[in-house]
Amino acid sequence: MSKVFILNQEANVASNYLNELRDPSIQTDRARFRRNLERIGELLSFEISKTLDYQDADITTPLGVAKSRVITDKLVVTTILRAGLPMYEGVLNIFDHADSGFVASYRSSTGEDEVEINMEYVASGNLDGKIVILADPMLATGKSLLLALEGLLKNGTPKHVHIMAAIASQDGVDYVKNNIPVEASIWLGAVDAELNSKSYIIPGLGDAGDLCFGEKL
Ligand code: URA
């Protein structure tokens, strides 16, 4: 594990977006909720961009030549359906040329306090040597995230994996740090202290998928 970065550890505009995501009176505006997740994805992507490999490039303008640089890494932006979609869009807003990958998984209740994670579908290209970003807005236990990553890793060995979440629990961060099988970094909006018995983050924000898209049957 090379690094854990937390956006709201310093004062910046991300706090406004996170506050709105958590506020029930603003959560009723679904488009704004999705847009705020997208914006956290954009800000974290900018931070990730500082870790990528670049090569020098001369850019010819109408008036001369500007010395610049371009990203040389090949990126694959992945997410877990369905709550991950707005954040995934935010990442793609920043990395124009990235490929994409998708995992479908869901949590089912097996008893009073138990939650089982079921994975149904993985779709991505070859991940060998690529930079993989896995965007999932709520890093709760970390188990569904690592299951999704395990599914993706059947498609190759990335150069580096970046895990991205808007809100994580401290337990989830520790679980991912201790169990992730590849070289990885974690990029978060905020870290909350607790998980409840149904594996929801406290204070968190509620059910991100429902707030983005409406309640499921
Ligand atoms: N998924 C959510 O949407 N919210 C949580 O608090 C945990 C997992």
Side-chain angles (χ1 to χ4, degrees):
M1 173 64 48
S2 46
K3 118 183 221 173
V4 179
F5 174 89
I6 306 167
L7 255 183
N8 81 340
Q9 261 182 350
E10 57 179 39
N12 59 50
V13 70
S15 301
N16 289 37
Y17 308 152
L18 287 161
N19 297 347
E20 289 192 5
L21 283 166
R22 292 181 191 273
D23 183 338
S25 71
I26 301 176
Q27 288 178 339
T28 52
D29 183 346
R30 236 177 240 167
R32 191 156 161 195
F33 187 85
R34 291 195 300 265
R35 178 65 191 126
N36 279 324
L37 283 178
E38 193 178 344
R39 294 202 280 194
I40 300 290
E42 289 167 356
L43 294 177
L44 290 172
S45 295
F46 177 69
E47 297 297 333
I48 289 175
S49 77
K50 298 176 191 172
T51 71
L52 299 177
D53 283 344
Y54 291 78
Q55 73 182 24
D56 292 341
D58 287 344
I59 307 299
T60 306
T61 78
L63 300 175
V65 176
K67 296 273 175 211
S68 184
R69 47 179 81 87
V70 288
I71 295 171
T72 52
D73 281 317
K74 301 279 177 243
L75 274 74
V76 185
V77 182
T78 66
T79 196
I80 306 171
L81 301 173
R82 62 186 170 142
L85 288 173
M87 233 183 158
Y88 156 83
E89 284 292 340
V91 182
L92 275 196
N93 290 346
I94 302 304
F95 297 119
D96 300 353
H97 303 294
D99 287 342
S100 292
F102 299 95
V103 178
S105 67
Y106 62 95
R107 307 186 329 156
S108 57
S109 189
T110 52
E112 198 41 20
D113 279 349
E114 281 169 46
V115 176
E116 191 176 81
I117 297 145
N118 310 270
M119 190 165 59
E120 287 202 324
Y121 172 80
V122 179
S124 83
N126 189 319
L127 302 180
D128 282 342
K130 310 268 174 68
I131 300 289
V132 171
I133 300 176
L134 176 52
D136 187 19
M138 305 300 283
L139 200 178
T141 62
K143 288 185 183 153
S144 54
L145 189 130
L146 286 196
L147 192 68
L149 181 62
E150 200 181 292
L152 285 163
L153 292 176
K154 295 203 169 100
N155 292 345
T157 307
K159 177 175 168 190
H160 196 86
V161 171
H162 296 280
I163 303 295
M164 179 188 292
I167 301 178
S169 74
Q170 189 55 56
D171 282 356
V173 175
D174 294 342
Y175 182 82
V176 170
K177 272 163 85 173
N178 293 332
N179 294 286
I180 197 158
V182 288
E183 185 56 32
S185 310
I186 303 181
W187 305 82
L188 305 168
V191 178
D192 288 359
E194 285 179 57
L195 278 178
N196 72 9
S197 63
K198 300 267 184 217
S199 300
Y200 277 89
I201 300 171
I202 308 296
L205 50 72
D207 190 302
D210 287 358
L211 290 162
C212 287
F213 303 115
E215 282 180 25
K216 287 193 307 256
L217 286 178

